């Protein structure tokens, strides 16, 4: 027992040294590991610490996939909890609020009119920042979660222009295949990268009620609408649109390969802009077009897919006041302009207009402003296991593992086993 | 003498063939390691264009960049701290237990030993999740103790088992003599038994050091803070952040593996004895 | 006197036995790790036996273990025989052959993820250099090749360990047995099958047990190289458990899966030990 007591004494010492510090430490965990966005975050943290010498900000970054896999959840349950954590609006915020991880920020947003500095739409019911009318997520950026980025230089060389319809899109891919290019690169090891695109395709062809019912587990996936969506994905596979290693390639390597110019198109979210700033050569010229209209009669035919991301204050944090102080600093106009110029669209009023946006960010801003409808990604809207099952079924079709019919049968079976969430 | 003459005798064709085949095989097996080190000196473009051969220019700065970006110095220190304490705990506790199991008579001896043996067959993933919640409730999560205590505990079964069989190979004569001379059990253990079984303890120290140093699963789940991570987790994370910067990842891989390989070549005989004892004695 | 066993038993009880025992309770509850567990009886187990990825993870781990018999145990044995010589240089070869064993699995996994990379990996570069670029495959991105690729990497990592075990055992076989066989006109192949193999039977049995228990614990390599993908083709119990446990607060479902794994490993080991006792390899 002697030794064990020694160990316990050591532990007590360790615990005491942690609390004896005069400076308050706030822990902030996120999935920003590189790119221009990370540089701005580091800058904001440094500026904040300089302005608030009594607070030290500890960042706990994870790569994106680990963060959503085990990185965040082990921390939320851990000890000490992170004071501030990055989260996607919608289902994850609702889950965190119900599980008691997320703090109600009503009072903080009321003080100094902080809440009014945001564009009003982020506080609408569909934005996913509120649960039961109370705000839990401080929006930090407006993300398009999928659009089709293309290499302008290669398009120009081959005399191609962004397609208006699905047929034009397929024809364009065929041209690229004949030239021996990799038309579309996707790193789909974790399913969400292609899953977002596949969901957007589905949202554009499946009747909206049918779409919602399937993801909410009140209906089936094996319907005429979803079959049509997966058939379109199969068309892409059949003409050889995708890179061969799509199923095992990580999202980041795929993006880097596109930025290096080794593939012509890359369907991914607006965060590509920040990475391209860091990795791209000076002559790397790119732009985006959104998934073309597939069914001209569908109500969401020219919707965009996107969501809000932001910060949650942990309900069990003992430094909530300091955490709020940091987030106010983070969302002030000067810092938001820095973030917007690094490629991240701001939810703060007037920032995107004042900032000197690069052409791609400007394009995203226009896309969001002009789109008649916005579709949220299923994994932030519906139960995650159901969304991921759909992503996986879509990936199976995209890589030729299963036919659309088989994939839908598999999908309904899988969702049945998961059970009602 | 005759043995050394046998070594110096000219080799027959069959012996040359055997050496040739063996050398070729080993070269193929060792090549990925060489490729890793050579690639660490290249630029990303060169890795892609000239995967074979020597680097055009030796870019030592890759290592400096990897060392700084990966915080590899801190990772080394953390791994050293965790491994040193956990191995000391495990080998110390196991030697004492093996001493008790072979030299002392007490109620529950068989039961204790049988219980410990359960751990020989259990893979760590079977308790990872309940252990996670337990460590959380004990307030140990995200402290080095979350790796040290479970790491030591999971090394006990094999260490006790092997130490016990070593104790069984040494006759208790010396201990008997010390007892007759009036030494108490603690003295006998510390001054007679430990020096006697020291070679086996050394083997166990090396064996457990390799296992705990390389442990990934617990380190992945029980530690969050970047500045408390151990090398294996740090490396996986580093790969996650910089998966497209090949040269940088190769440099980090080289920095984390080459010192271990050198240490291994120095301690080769002990290491091999340690690992083979898991299946031999 | 209990002072001698107490530290070991306390450590072991607290961090091995207790979590294992508590798992048997939580497996019958719905629990997110945070709020109070709710008793749900066999619900988690019903789901586990309907969960096709979970069931397939056992198929994969069995295939992997069979693969380790070939690429680790058998290969290690062959190399031990090949490198069993007092001649100069052989000890060096053995040392090099063994070296991957001391590396961490995560380092090995990251290194081999690069070796097998589709675009810039060593294997495909080699195929292209030999003019066989058509054979270049996205090794870790195809369900058909990912598991075998991981098994081969595992062989690279661990065959040295089995080589050393068998080498040590080979040294204990008296030379004169081989001399006598040679005088009888036996070639090396016949000597391997009629002398070496039978005399190493006990070591082979132990090696197989280690490969089986080690195989069920397999996590690191799978986690770093594919994390279960593509399409769950390399999902093994350990990776699936981790995903389930921390995804969507399904902690108790993950725990139920660990209970199943514990029972499977225990049953397999005990049956194997009984069997090996019967063939006269009493150990443990």
């Amino acid at each position: 027992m002697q030794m064990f007591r020694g160990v316990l004494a050591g532990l007590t010492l360790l615990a005491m040294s942690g609390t004896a510090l005069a400076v308050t430490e706030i822990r902030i965990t996120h999935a920003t590991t590189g790119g221009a966005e990370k540089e701005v975050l580091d800058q904001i943290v440094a500026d904040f610490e300089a302005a608030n010498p009594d607070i030290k900000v500890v960042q706990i970054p994870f790569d994106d996939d680990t963060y959503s896999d085990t990185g965040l959840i082990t921390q939320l349950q851990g000890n000490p909890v992170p004071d501030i954590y990055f989260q996607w609006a919608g289902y994850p915020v609702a889950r965190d609020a119900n599980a008691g991880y997320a703090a109600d920020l009503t009072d903080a947003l009321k003080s100094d009119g902080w809440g009014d500095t945001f564009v009003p739409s982020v506080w609408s019911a569909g934005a996913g920042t509120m649960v039961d009318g109370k705000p839990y997520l401080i929006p930090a950026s407006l993300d398009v979660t999928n659009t089709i980025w293309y290499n302008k230089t290669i398009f120009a060389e081959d005399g191609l222009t962004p397609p208006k319809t699905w047929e034009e899109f397929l024809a364009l891919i065929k041209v690229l295949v004949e030239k021996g290019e990799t038309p579309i690169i996707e790193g789909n090891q974790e399913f969400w990268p292609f899953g977002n695109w596949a969901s957007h395709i589905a949202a554009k062809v499946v009747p909206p009620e049918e779409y919602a019912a399937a993801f909410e587990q009140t209906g089936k996936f094996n319907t005429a609408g979803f079959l049509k969506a997966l058939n379109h994905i199969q068309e892409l596979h059949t003409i050889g649109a995708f890179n061969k290693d799509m199923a095992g390639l990580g999202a980041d390597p795929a993006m880097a390969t596109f930025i290096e110019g080794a593939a012509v198109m890359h369907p991914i979210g607006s965060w590509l802009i920040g990475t391209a700033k860091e990795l791209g050569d000076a002559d790397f010229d790119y732009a985006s077009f959104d998934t073309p209209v597939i069914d001209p009669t569908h109500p969401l035919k020219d919707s965009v897919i996107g969501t809000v991301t932001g910060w949650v204050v942990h309900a069990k944090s003992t430094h909530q006041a300091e955490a709020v102080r940091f987030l106010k600093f983070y969302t002030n106009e000067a810092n938001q302009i820095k973030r917007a110029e690094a490629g991240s669209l701001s939810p703060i009023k007037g920032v995107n207009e004042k900032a000197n946006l690069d052409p791609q960010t400007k394009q995203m801003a226009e896309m969001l402003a002009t789109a008649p409808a916005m579709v949220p990604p299923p994994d932030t809207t519906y139960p995650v296991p159901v969304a991921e099952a759909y992503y996986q079924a879509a990936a199976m079709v995209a890589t030729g593992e299963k036919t659309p019919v088989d994939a839908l049968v598999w999908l309904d079976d899988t969702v049945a086993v998961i059970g009602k969430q | 003498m005759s043995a050394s003459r046998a070594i110096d005798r000219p080799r027959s064709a069959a012996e040359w063939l055997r050496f040739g085949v063996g050398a070729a095989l080993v070269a193929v097996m060792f090549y990925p390691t060489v490729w890793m080190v050579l690639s660490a000196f290249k630029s990303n473009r060169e890795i892609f264009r000239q995967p074979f051969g020597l680097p055009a220019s030796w870019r030592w700065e890759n290592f400096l960049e990897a060392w700084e970006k990966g915080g590899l110095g801190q990772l080394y220190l953390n791994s050293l701290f965790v491994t040193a304490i956990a191995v000391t705990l495990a080998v110390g506790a196991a030697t004492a237990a093996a001493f008790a199991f072979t030299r002392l008579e007490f109620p529950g001896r068989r039961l204790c030993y049988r219980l410990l043996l359960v751990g020989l067959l259990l893979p760590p993933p079977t308790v990872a999740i309940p252990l996670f919640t337990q460590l959380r409730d004990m307030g140990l999560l995200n402290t080095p103790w979350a790796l040290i205590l479970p790491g030591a505990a999971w090394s006990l079964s094999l260490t006790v088992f092997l130490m016990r069989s070593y104790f069984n190979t040494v006759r208790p004569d010396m201990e008997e003599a010390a007892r007759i001379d009036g030494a108490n059990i603690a003295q006998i253990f510390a001054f007679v038994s430990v020096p006697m079984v020291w070679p086996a303890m050394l083997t166990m120290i090396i064996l457990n050091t390799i296992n705990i140093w390389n442990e990934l699963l617990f380190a992945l789940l029980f530690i969050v803070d970047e500045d408390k991570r151990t090398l294996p987790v740090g490396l996986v994370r580093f790969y996650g952040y910089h998966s497209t910067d090949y040269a940088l990842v190769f440099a980090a891989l080289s920095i984390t593996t080459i010192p271990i390989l050198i240490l291994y070549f120095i301690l080769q005989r002990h290491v091999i004895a340690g690992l083979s004892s898991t299946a031999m004695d | 006197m209990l002072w001698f066993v107490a530290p070991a038993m306390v450590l072991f009880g607290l961090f091995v036995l207790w979590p294992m025992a508590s798992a048997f309770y939580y497996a019958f509850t719905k629990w997110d790790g945070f709020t109070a567990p709710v008793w749900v009886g066999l619900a988690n187990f019903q789901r586990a036996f309907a969960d096709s990825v979970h069931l397939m993870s056992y198929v994969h781990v069995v295939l992997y273990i069979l693969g380790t018999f070939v690429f680790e145990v058998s290969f290690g044995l062959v190399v031990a025989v090949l490198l069993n010589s007092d001649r100069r240089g052989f000890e060096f070869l053995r040392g090099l052959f063994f070296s991957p064993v001391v590396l961490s699995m995560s380092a090995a996994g990251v290194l081999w993820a690069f070796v097998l990379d589709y675009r810039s990996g060593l294997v495909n570069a080699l195929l292209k250099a030999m003019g066989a670029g058509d054979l270049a495959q996205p090794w870790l991105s195809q369900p058909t090749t990912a598991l075998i690729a991981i098994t081969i990497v595992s062989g690279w990592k661990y065959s040295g360990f089995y080589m050393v075990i068998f080498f040590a055992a080979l040294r204990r076989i008296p030379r004169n047995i081989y001399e006598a066989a040679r005088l009888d006109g036996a070639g090396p192949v016949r000597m391997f099958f009629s002398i070496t193999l039978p005399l190493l039977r006990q070591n082979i049995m132990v090696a197989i047990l280690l490969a089986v228990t080690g195989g069920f614990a397999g996590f690191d390599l799978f986690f770093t190289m594919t994390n279960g993908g593509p399409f769950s083709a390399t999902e093994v119990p350990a990776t699936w458990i981790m995903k389930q446990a921390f995804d969507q607060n399904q902690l108790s479902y993950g725990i139920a899966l660990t209970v199943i794994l514990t029972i499977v490993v225990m049953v397999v080991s005990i049956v194997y030990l009984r069997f090996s006792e019967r063939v006269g390899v009493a150990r443990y």
Side-chain angles (χ1 to χ4, degrees):
Chain A
M1 253 358 235
Q2 199 82 44
M3 185 176 52
F4 194 67
R5 224 175 289 142
V7 168
L8 284 179
L11 288 173
T12 328
L13 262 176
L14 210 76
M16 278 163 58
S17 67
T19 51
L21 295 163
V23 175
T24 308
E25 191 181 275
I26 58 172
R27 299 157 57 83
I28 169 165
T29 185
H30 57 78
T32 307
T33 54
E37 217 181 305
K38 169 78 170 144
E39 282 167 31
V40 173
L41 179 59
D42 289 341
Q43 187 60 48
I44 294 176
V45 164
D47 291 348
F48 178 75
E49 286 179 338
N52 299 273
D54 56 325
I55 303 180
K56 186 175 162 4
V57 179
V58 178
Q59 294 188 54
I60 307 166
F62 280 82
D63 61 281
D64 208 82
D65 294 330
T66 323
Y67 187 79
S68 43
D69 253 15
T70 56
L72 178 61
I73 194 76
T74 51
Q75 287 188 79
L76 292 183
Q77 305 200 345
N79 185 22
V81 295
D83 300 292
I84 303 173
Y85 62 93
F86 172 83
Q87 192 55 287
W88 289 266
Y91 190 82
V93 173
R95 184 199 62 196
D96 291 357
N98 294 331
Y101 302 142
D104 175 2
L105 296 169
T106 309
D107 294 339
L109 282 160
K110 272 188 190 141
S111 73
D112 316 332
W114 186 26
D116 298 329
T117 62
F118 293 85
V119 294
S121 64
V122 300
W123 305 123
S124 67
T129 54
M130 322 251 282
V131 182
D132 300 331
K134 292 179 205 139
Y136 287 91
L137 182 87
I138 299 300
S141 59
L142 308 171
D143 285 333
V144 172
T145 57
N146 188 276
T147 185
I148 301 165
W149 298 100
Y150 67 96
N151 186 315
K152 283 173 90 171
T153 317
I154 303 179
F155 261 48
E157 276 167 16
D158 295 340
L160 300 169
T161 50
K164 296 271 181 300
T165 64
W166 188 258
E167 287 68 34
E168 280 177 42
F169 184 46
L170 293 179
L172 179 150
I173 291 168
K174 282 182 193 150
V175 171
L176 291 169
V177 170
E178 270 166 32
K179 302 224 180 222
E181 303 272 10
T182 302
I184 299 176
I185 190 162
E186 191 79 298
N188 202 37
Q189 189 184 35
E190 304 291 330
F191 298 124
W192 62 262
F194 181 69
N196 262 275
W197 192 26
S199 306
H200 196 198
I201 291 172
K204 285 176 169 227
V205 298
V206 183
E209 320 75 56
E210 196 177 308
Y211 180 91
F215 280 107
E216 280 162 3
Q217 295 177 291
T218 52
K220 292 264 179 232
F221 277 98
N222 198 353
T223 62
F226 275 102
L227 184 62
K228 201 173 157 201
L230 291 194
N231 278 335
H232 286 303
I233 291 169
Q234 195 187 28
E235 286 168 4
L236 293 172
H237 168 73
T238 313
I239 60 175
F242 297 110
N243 53 312
K244 255 179 127 178
D245 57 345
M246 170 179 175
L249 191 65
D252 293 341
M255 188 185 280
T257 311
F258 169 70
I259 293 170
E260 277 163 20
V264 188
M265 291 179 276
H266 182 44
I268 200 81
S270 51
W271 52 87
L272 175 130
I273 300 169
T275 311
K277 276 184 207 293
E278 191 195 25
L279 294 183
D281 287 338
D283 59 350
F284 175 59
D285 195 10
Y286 68 106
S288 90
F289 59 86
D290 210 36
T291 305
V293 173
I294 305 173
D295 175 359
T297 63
H298 196 277
L300 296 173
K301 64 182 191 315
D302 34 34
S303 58
V304 297
I305 185 164
T307 188
V308 172
T309 56
W311 302 102
V312 177
V313 174
H314 200 296
K316 298 216 162 46
S317 157
T318 47
H319 308 297
Q320 292 193 9
E322 289 84 354
V324 166
R325 214 185 327 159
F326 175 77
L327 289 176
K328 279 189 179 171
F329 183 77
Y330 180 94
T331 52
N332 75 22
E333 192 177 87
N335 285 326
Q336 287 294 304
I337 287 178
K338 280 185 206 149
R339 282 183 39 78
E341 288 174 356
S344 165
L345 283 178
S346 176
I348 299 291
K349 280 179 196 161
V351 165
N352 297 329
E353 292 72 28
K354 280 182 200 157
N356 179 20
L357 299 182
D358 59 75
Q360 290 84 15
T361 315
K362 205 173 271 172
Q363 204 187 354
M364 290 297 109
E366 277 159 19
M367 208 167 109
L368 282 175
T370 57
M374 179 136 131
V375 180
D379 59 356
T380 64
T381 317
Y382 305 107
V384 178
V386 180
E388 279 182 350
Y390 172 71
Y391 291 0
Q392 197 168 339
M396 285 170 170
V397 175
T399 54
E401 278 299 306
K402 279 194 171 26
T403 64
V405 175
D406 290 349
L408 288 173
V409 170
W410 173 89
L411 179 54
D412 277 330
D413 288 349
T414 305
V415 171
V417 170
I418 292 166
K420 185 75 185 155
Q421 291 289 307
Chain B
M1 274 296 121
S2 65
S4 82
R5 231 180 295 131
I7 292 171
D8 295 333
R9 174 168 45 85
R11 297 184 191 205
S12 64
E15 278 173 323
W16 276 116
L17 181 70
R18 167 190 280 217
F19 185 76
V21 171
L25 192 78
V26 170
V28 170
M29 294 280 286
F30 199 67
Y31 184 65
T33 313
V34 175
W35 180 69
M36 166 186 86
V37 177
L38 289 179
S39 300
F41 285 101
K42 296 178 179 178
S43 67
N44 281 323
R45 207 170 288 254
E46 204 184 346
I47 292 174
F48 190 67
R49 303 246 162 93
Q50 263 101 36
F52 312 108
L54 298 176
S57 65
W58 297 78
R59 298 164 56 92
W60 289 94
E61 62 267 31
N62 288 352
F63 290 89
L64 203 66
E65 198 187 341
W67 179 268
E68 279 171 2
K69 278 199 179 163
L72 299 181
Q74 185 68 48
L75 296 177
Y76 259 108
L77 285 180
N78 295 341
S79 275
L80 269 176
F81 180 74
V82 166
T83 309
I85 299 188
V87 169
T88 311
L89 268 178
V91 176
T95 308
F99 172 78
F101 290 139
T102 53
R103 299 294 194 259
L104 305 176
E105 209 39 83
F106 58 92
R109 196 178 70 154
R110 284 185 80 89
L111 178 72
C112 283
Y113 183 59
R114 287 261 163 92
L115 271 178
L116 274 174
L117 287 193
V118 171
L120 274 183
L121 304 176
L122 270 187
T126 57
V127 302
I129 300 156
L131 194 53
F132 171 83
T133 55
Q134 184 186 328
L135 289 167
R136 184 194 67 202
D137 298 342
M138 294 167 94
L140 296 182
L141 221 53
N142 204 19
T143 72
W145 299 102
L147 300 184
I148 292 171
L149 299 175
W154 278 87
S155 311
L156 280 172
S157 299
L158 187 65
T159 315
V160 170
F161 174 68
L162 294 173
M163 286 308 296
R164 180 180 170 271
S165 48
Y166 193 82
F167 265 106
N168 280 337
T169 63
V170 236
R171 295 169 53 107
D173 301 355
M174 302 263 286
E175 286 141 336
E176 275 305 310
R179 198 178 60 85
I180 291 162
D181 287 351
N184 65 30
I185 296 178
Q187 287 168 326
I188 293 175
F189 174 69
F191 301 115
V192 182
S193 304
V194 167
M196 209 166 62
V197 297
W198 177 245
M201 286 175 74
L202 193 69
T203 302
M204 289 302 103
I205 288 171
I206 289 173
L207 174 68
N208 287 319
T209 300
I210 293 175
N211 287 340
I212 294 175
W213 182 270
N214 289 337
E215 204 283 326
L216 177 68
L217 177 64
F218 288 173
L220 211 53
L221 292 176
F222 303 159
I223 297 288
V224 210
D225 286 6
E226 266 190 320
D227 58 0
K228 289 181 194 139
R229 288 172 187 165
T230 53
L231 266 179
V233 181
L235 194 64
V236 172
R237 295 271 183 266
F238 189 85
Y239 174 54
Y241 299 167
H242 304 286
S243 52
T244 53
D245 199 339
Y246 292 68
L248 202 61
V249 177
F250 280 121
L253 267 175
S254 302
I255 294 174
T256 54
T257 53
I258 298 304
I260 308 298
L261 283 176
I262 291 172
L263 202 64
Y264 153 68
F265 282 114
I266 295 170
L267 295 172
Q268 194 173 326
R269 289 188 184 190
H270 293 285
V271 175
I272 287 182
L275 282 177
S276 55
S277 67
T278 60
M280 291 299 299
D281 296 301
Chain C
M1 275 196 243
L2 283 173
W3 292 111
F4 286 96
V5 280
M9 293 319 291
V10 167
L11 259 182
F12 191 76
L14 221 46
F15 297 102
V16 180
L17 292 180
W18 176 250
M20 193 174 87
S22 66
F24 276 83
Y25 165 69
Y26 290 125
F28 295 94
T29 66
K30 185 169 175 59
W31 188 43
D32 59 8
F34 226 57
T35 47
V38 180
W39 185 265
V40 291
L42 288 170
N44 289 322
F45 292 96
Q46 276 162 354
R47 178 173 166 193
F49 285 102
D51 180 344
S52 61
V53 181
H54 174 238
L55 298 178
M56 282 308 287
S57 76
Y58 279 90
V59 175
H60 298 145
V61 84
V62 167
L63 288 173
Y64 168 69
I65 288 171
L66 292 176
T68 64
F69 290 171
V70 177
F71 295 109
E72 294 179 15
V73 181
S74 309
F75 185 55
L77 175 60
V78 169
V79 175
V81 172
L82 181 72
L83 298 183
N84 179 15
S85 167
D86 288 330
R87 292 302 197 138
R88 196 161 291 144
F90 277 94
E91 188 178 3
F92 176 68
L93 290 185
R94 288 194 297 268
L96 275 185
F97 187 83
F98 182 81
S99 62
V101 179
V102 298
L103 297 183
S104 68
M105 270 296 203
S106 47
V110 172
L111 171 59
W112 277 87
F114 280 118
V115 172
L116 296 169
D117 186 73
Y118 179 52
R119 267 173 216 82
S120 47
L122 188 58
V123 172
N124 286 349
L126 205 65
L127 287 170
K128 275 173 204 146
M130 295 190 316
D134 296 348
L135 293 178
Q137 300 286 323
W139 304 103
L140 295 176
S141 299
Q142 300 177 133
T144 44
T145 51
L147 186 62
I148 184 93
I150 292 181
T151 310
I152 290 173
V153 175
S154 186
W156 174 81
K157 175 83 173 65
Y158 276 125
S159 53
F161 170 68
Y162 294 99
M163 182 275 285
V164 158
I165 292 177
F166 291 128
F167 176 74
L170 285 174
R171 308 302 280 183
R172 296 182 183 180
I173 301 178
R175 286 267 172 95
N176 51 21
I177 300 184
Y178 289 105
E179 296 297 336
R182 193 167 297 134
L183 289 179
D184 287 345
V189 176
R190 217 185 97 197
M191 283 197 282
F192 177 77
F193 284 105
S194 59
I195 302 175
T196 313
L197 267 191
L199 286 176
L200 290 187
R201 192 182 62 181
Q202 181 165 321
N203 304 87
I204 293 171
M205 297 299 280
V206 175
I208 287 176
L209 180 66
L210 289 174
V212 171
T213 51
F216 277 113
F219 171 78
D220 302 13
L221 212 50
F222 292 88
F223 177 77
T224 43
M225 292 183 69
T226 59
N227 197 14
F231 305 117
S232 307
T234 58
E235 205 75 78
V236 288
T239 55
W240 189 238
I241 286 168
M242 295 311 140
K243 279 184 195 166
Q244 295 308 297
F246 293 105
D247 199 26
Q248 286 305 292
N249 299 346
Q250 310 180 99
L251 217 56
S252 54
Y253 181 53
I255 291 176
L257 298 185
T258 69
V259 167
I260 295 174
L261 179 62
T262 307
I263 292 170
V264 168
V265 176
M266 287 306 219
V267 168
V268 169
S269 306
I270 289 166
V271 167
Y272 184 81
L273 287 174
R274 284 264 174 278
F275 165 76
S276 55
E277 255 168 32
R278 209 174 332 130
V279 291
V281 197
R283 301 233 123 210
Y284 298 115

